Amino acid sequence: QVQLVQSGAEVKKPGASVKVSCKASGYTFTSYYMHWVRQAPGQAIEWVGIINPSGGSTTYAQKLQGRVTMTRDTSTSTVYMEVSSLRSEDTAVYYCARSERVDGFDIWGQGTMVIVSS
Amino acid sequence: QSALTQPASVSGSPGQSITISCTGTSSDVGAYKYVSWYQQHPGKAPKLIIYGVSNRPSGVSNRFSGSKSGNTASLTISGLLAEDEADYYCSSYTSSSTVVFGGGTKLTVL
């Protein structure tokens, strides 16, 4: 079946970096965009960015520009999101989600909790 | 890019209909037919219920419907069920080639 499986929870200190993976299966990896969104505890969903697995092009939310990098490995159907210079405000559940167009995130990963704490 | 504006909460009784609004600008909601709606139960990942303003994915109840007028999109849930109690989020593609979400609406089924 179609699914996205993310890597496990992370605890990081302020200023460190974190890299979260999202492995896709059950569909043609390069035929769908992959988005990353995050949700801080008790807060709304926030869009982080998008990667086109076909060519690797990316677009990031202005708020995280310069601190977030998205990459993909087509040989393993996996996308990665790295956030650097972590701050306490980056504490959130991070989700990957695919879309066929630029809207309609139809399949979601299970979420990865990232805690930033000294 | 500011978040789309949704009411913080709405409520309704079983069997009733409710509507959740999602207000953006001429650079996002008003500019494209790329508005989606998501349902999120506590501790769960969001679930897509509407895409392309008014399209339902396969398997989503026809009690959920979407529409748009100008810079405001709307989600209507008819025949409310207890299981509809959840948080609802709208999203839109923007002229900056990004995506913006709304602040979320908590639906309470009385």
Side-chain angles (χ1 to χ4, degrees):
Chain A
Q1 74 279 25
V2 177
Q3 62 177 351
L4 302 174
V5 179
Q6 299 182 221
S7 49
E10 303 265 12
V11 180
K12 297 292 183 180
K13 293 192 181 303
S17 296
V18 68
K19 192 170 186 177
V20 181
S21 68
C22 170
K23 182 174 177 59
S25 62
Y27 70 96
T28 302
F29 178 65
T30 52
S31 295
Y32 291 78
Y33 298 109
M34 196 72 79
H35 302 257
W36 288 91
V37 303
R38 68 181 183 178
Q39 189 170 32
Q43 302 300 309
I45 298 169
E46 179 182 23
W47 186 78
V48 175
I50 180 176
I51 183 168
N52 183 344
S54 179
S57 61
T58 56
T59 302
Y60 305 129
Q62 187 174 11
K63 182 177 179 180
L64 285 99
Q65 198 87 19
R67 294 201 299 126
V68 65
T69 304
M70 295 177 186
T71 56
R72 94 290 190 214
D73 181 343
T74 55
S75 68
T76 60
S77 299
T78 302
V79 296
Y80 301 90
M81 179 200 63
E82 183 170 21
V83 182
S84 61
S85 302
L86 286 166
R87 312 159 182 167
S88 58
E89 310 90 87
D90 295 317
T91 292
V93 176
Y94 288 76
Y95 293 98
C96 59
R98 77 164 198 182
S99 70
E100 189 172 16
R101 316 175 336 159
V102 290
D103 74 329
F105 303 177
D106 64 342
I107 302 294
W108 292 65
Q110 82 275 22
T112 296
M113 182 74 216
V114 174
I115 297 172
V116 183
S117 175
S118 55
Chain B
Q1 183 72 48
S2 299
L4 306 176
T5 301
Q6 299 180 231
S9 63
V10 298
S11 62
S13 300
Q16 287 186 331
S17 295
I18 63 95
T19 297
I20 299 172
S21 62
C22 170
T23 301
T25 69
S26 58
S27 296
D28 40 63
V29 174
Y32 305 99
K33 292 185 178 181
Y34 295 128
V35 176
S36 297
W37 289 89
Y38 301 88
Q39 176 192 62
Q40 186 180 36
H41 286 107
K44 301 294 187 182
K47 173 188 175 183
L48 177 67
I49 55 174
I50 295 288
Y51 69 95
V53 175
S54 59
N55 299 292
R56 276 188 313 275
S58 174
V60 173
S61 172
N62 59 10
R63 297 185 300 105
F64 294 93
S65 62
S67 62
K68 189 184 81 162
S69 178
N71 296 338
T72 299
S74 298
L75 171 71
T76 297
I77 309 174
S78 59
L80 270 179
L81 300 173
E83 67 203 49
D84 297 331
E85 186 162 294
D87 293 328
Y88 291 83
Y89 293 91
C90 62
S91 73
S92 175
Y93 182 68
T94 81
S95 59
S96 301
S97 302
T98 61
V99 175
V100 62
F101 279 85
T105 298
K106 181 177 180 59
L107 168 62
T108 301
V109 180
L110 302 170

